[in-house]
Amino acid sequence: MIARPEILPPSAAAIARAADLLRAGDLVAFPTETVYGLGADAGNEAAVEAVFAAKGRPQFNPLIVHVPDLEMAERVAVFDDRARTLGHGLWAGPFTVVLPRRDDAPVSPMVSAGLDTVAVRVPAHQVAQSLLRAVGRPIAAPSANRSGGISPTTPMHVAEDLKERVAMILAGGRCQVGLESTILDMTRDPPRLLRPGRVGRREIEGLIGPIAVPEDGDGAESPPPAPNAPGQLASHYAPRLPVRPNAVTVGPTEALLAFGPDRFVRGGAVRLNLSPEGDLHEAAANFYAMLHRLDQPGCTAIAVMPIPERSIGVAINDRLRRAAAPRGGSSF
Ligand code: TXA
Ligand code: MG
């Protein structure tokens, strides 16, 4: 018997094997430009159920369907002109759109948690593209981590977190973007940003005009319909240790996650720097990997220096707020 998970570099043979496993209903983790995904044949109810079980994810939290191009996306969701404009402008890339689900979508209803909408994404990563084309079917893929925890940006994160729950990991190195895709809900008017990411508000508005962003209260006062995107739940993306954002000092038993020049913040039991030069894209790419490294017993908390609220810094701060939120009943 082959030990689980098989961890293979993404050769043509490994991708072909991964595609066979997916078609047979097994779970395969694969790299995307954002984070590693835990893939399952979206049309196979048992495989989709196995994804929820492997993650410990509640079944009311829908999954994103991954396809290689706009053409296959249109077999899953109902696109109007604006949605097509977004597809042409932002795909392949770190962008997900929520649209009405097609009645004949080749996707199990469980994927969208029984909703009449579906989230679709065309990843840009070469390995993800090759795999999706080899399978020839839509693939449901949440981030390849246990629900509520830190998202994986390396194959080792996946192996350590999911262990034998995943049949195979395509080990394609570190993820370039490092934060999950931007999610835009196009079933609302105006369209609503559900999760900030590498694709920013301006880029979207440049293509389709004004959108609602929950924090700014501009047309977004009403809460999203339930069940909402659990990426929006108060506590999510959380390490085991408490997280203290906007830290300008660090205690002797705290771990410091610095950003930019950190010479004036003295102390800390352990220190890592997201980007000594203050580059927000480098910081995003390092963010989850450094949280993984700092989340070790022995420290009392992870103190994080202030991250500027611009560009992908908006998405980093979103994940930090959720990592720092109380781990109450809403956390999973
Ligand atoms: O970058 C990404 O998007 C990664 C990679 C693997 O592609 N995937 C990812 O999936 O982050 P996941 O499951 O960790 O996050 C998906 C988010 C959840 O917050 C979920 O609630 C939301 O998408 N979502 C999925 N379908 C939805 C729908 N029909 N309506 C609203 N939100 C939806
Ligand atoms: Mg996730």
Side-chain angles (χ1 to χ4, degrees), residues 23 68-69 72 128-137:
R23 276 192 295 262
D69 50 32
M72 203 190 285
Q129 275 285 329
S130 306
L131 180 65
L132 291 168
R133 286 181 195 285
V135 184
R137 299 180 192 168

Side-chain angles (χ1 to χ4, degrees), residues 34 37 57 61-62 64 66 117 119 121 142-143 180-181 183 195 229-231:
T34 58
R57 176 163 171 143
N61 185 1
I64 297 176
H66 293 62
T117 61
R121 156 157 146 79
S143 51
E180 303 83 349
S181 61
I183 305 181
R195 183 171 72 183

